Amino acid sequence: MTEETRSGAAPGLSGPRVAAAVTAALPGGVFPGPGAPRRRWTRPRHLNARWRRPRTAFVFAGGGARGAAQVGMLQTLLSRGITADDVYGASVGAINAAGFAGDPTPAGVERMADLWRNVTRDDVFPQGRIPGPWRFLQQREAVHSNDGVRRLIEGGLTFDRIENATVHLEVVATSLTDGRTQWFTYGPATEAILASAALPSLLPPVEIGTESFIDGGVVDNVPIGRAISHGAERIFVLLCGPLRYTPHPYRRPVEAVLTAFFIAIHAKFARELERLPAGVEVIVFSVDSDPVSRYDDFSGTEALITAGRTNAETILDFWSAGGHGSGTGRPPVSSPEELEATSDEAV
């Protein structure tokens, strides 16, 4: 592997083949800001300085039971020798981010895969005696307790406090005091991750100190802004669904509310991709909406792990060959003028 080809370069995928690849939608995309790094190593500014690898972050998005796809994406990243300096997570992404940050090795990721494969609905969301729809109408904080999620988190952690993770870790939650974004960078890991994954109405808020917190995905489901503000130059985003959200026709009022929520969180991510600062490159892995599942359906875990792994391979091949954009027929996020100085291979 040479410094010119970037980690994970795909033999034979260049030039016309890259151009052909962007004519069909990709399972993700490559979005360089102006002056973003286009090689594995960055040329030093001074003659006596050493070559350096761009500061790299992994961002784990929320997505419920579909979070299994992120394990397959991690398998591909590590197989290409791609590692992270910093890890950020929201919702189920906080659970996976913490699992990875504690043991960022192929063996550690395989352990995560085994944990996902063994999760069942009753482990995380026990059904109880009352029929499902009626539980949403009861006077209670949430449909389910968070005991099952707590056990899942504790089963995947290899450290007690966030600051003791092998890789720098941050997880996000939403304050119920004033709705602000709360980042946890130190302190007891289980409680912070539990708060980040506290899905509204499904799981109860988590008290930390004098405040209550709910799911971090409410305010920042794909926290690339946090990574950028902390100096990340190359960001790998691990989504649990499609890159762009396509609303489906809804038949019930509750579905209309959920549709509006999903539109809002996807719109925030889209805006951030369109406004990448100079020197930042974002590589996004995504999975399709299939297999479609309920929030408590873990039957598609193996298929999601496989899809995450395969889709990440496709995107890394595309990225390694100098491709950018997402192959959706839409213009690249960055303008041609911005890209002109970043790569002679850009299409």
Side-chain angles (χ1 to χ4, degrees):
M1 187 68 63
T2 68
E3 292 172 352
E4 298 296 318
T5 58
R6 288 195 261 172
S7 176
L13 183 59
S14 60
R17 292 189 64 187
V18 174
V22 297
T23 62
L26 291 165
V30 178
F31 306 97
R38 299 294 289 171
R39 291 182 172 87
R40 185 179 180 184
W41 305 94
T42 299
R43 187 182 298 278
R45 294 182 180 179
H46 306 292
L47 207 58
N48 295 327
R50 295 182 178 179
W51 287 75
R52 66 178 184 85
R53 180 174 64 85
R55 188 171 187 88
T56 301
F58 291 177
V59 171
F60 295 75
R66 300 177 61 79
Q70 294 175 337
V71 176
M73 296 168 186
L74 285 173
Q75 290 173 338
T76 294
L77 283 165
L78 294 191
S79 74
R80 303 290 184 102
I82 300 173
T83 58
D85 300 298
D86 308 285
V87 175
Y88 304 89
S91 196
V92 72
I95 298 175
N96 285 333
F100 174 73
D103 188 1
T105 66
V109 173
E110 189 54 39
R111 180 169 169 268
M112 292 173 62
D114 289 339
L115 286 171
W116 269 102
R117 291 182 182 113
N118 291 323
V119 171
T120 67
R121 179 180 69 174
D122 288 336
D123 291 334
V124 183
F125 301 112
Q127 298 306 293
R129 299 189 217 173
I130 301 173
W134 292 105
R135 292 198 298 271
F136 286 87
L137 302 177
Q138 290 181 301
Q139 281 194 312
R140 55 196 296 182
E141 280 188 314
V143 173
H144 305 281
S145 79
N146 59 15
D147 293 342
V149 177
R150 180 185 292 275
R151 286 192 293 270
L152 179 65
I153 293 169
E154 291 173 344
L157 283 177
T158 58
F159 51 90
D160 294 327
R161 297 181 62 84
I162 293 175
E163 63 268 31
N164 292 336
T166 302
V167 177
H168 176 76
L169 168 69
E170 299 188 15
V171 300
V172 64
T174 304
S175 170
L176 282 184
T177 301
D178 54 13
R180 77 181 184 282
T181 301
Q182 175 66 51
W183 281 96
F184 292 100
T185 60
Y186 63 90
T190 298
E191 296 305 309
I193 299 164
L194 194 63
S196 183
L199 289 161
S201 83
L202 296 177
L203 297 169
V206 176
E207 289 190 13
I208 298 178
T210 59
E211 287 191 80
S212 293
F213 298 92
I214 59 171
D215 198 299
V218 172
V219 288
D220 203 353
N221 195 56
V222 191
I224 61 171
R226 180 72 172 186
I228 293 169
S229 69
H230 280 58
E233 299 165 283
R234 178 168 289 157
I235 303 171
F236 293 91
V237 176
L238 289 69
L239 297 182
C240 301
L243 174 59
R244 291 182 172 87
Y245 177 63
T246 302
H248 298 287
Y250 49 81
R251 296 174 295 176
R252 302 177 183 87
V254 67
E255 293 173 353
V257 173
L258 290 173
T259 296
F261 173 68
F262 289 133
I263 289 173
I265 63 175
H266 279 78
K268 181 180 187 299
F269 178 46
R271 286 195 300 270
E272 289 182 319
L273 280 181
E274 291 170 356
R275 300 169 184 170
L276 294 177
V280 173
E281 181 179 42
V282 177
I283 300 96
V284 182
F285 308 140
S286 67
V287 288
D288 294 333
S289 297
D290 295 325
V292 176
S293 64
R294 286 165 44 95
Y295 73 88
D296 57 357
D297 181 5
F298 295 90
S299 63
T301 292
E302 195 62 50
L304 285 164
I305 292 174
T306 300
R309 182 171 58 246
T310 302
N311 291 358
E313 289 170 354
T314 298
I315 292 300
L316 289 181
D317 287 347
F318 177 68
W319 171 66
S320 297
H324 73 275
S326 58
T328 59
R330 304 183 189 188
V333 170
S334 300
S335 68
E337 292 78 15
E338 292 172 341
L339 288 167
E340 187 175 353
T342 67
S343 174
D344 293 331
E345 299 177 294
V347 294

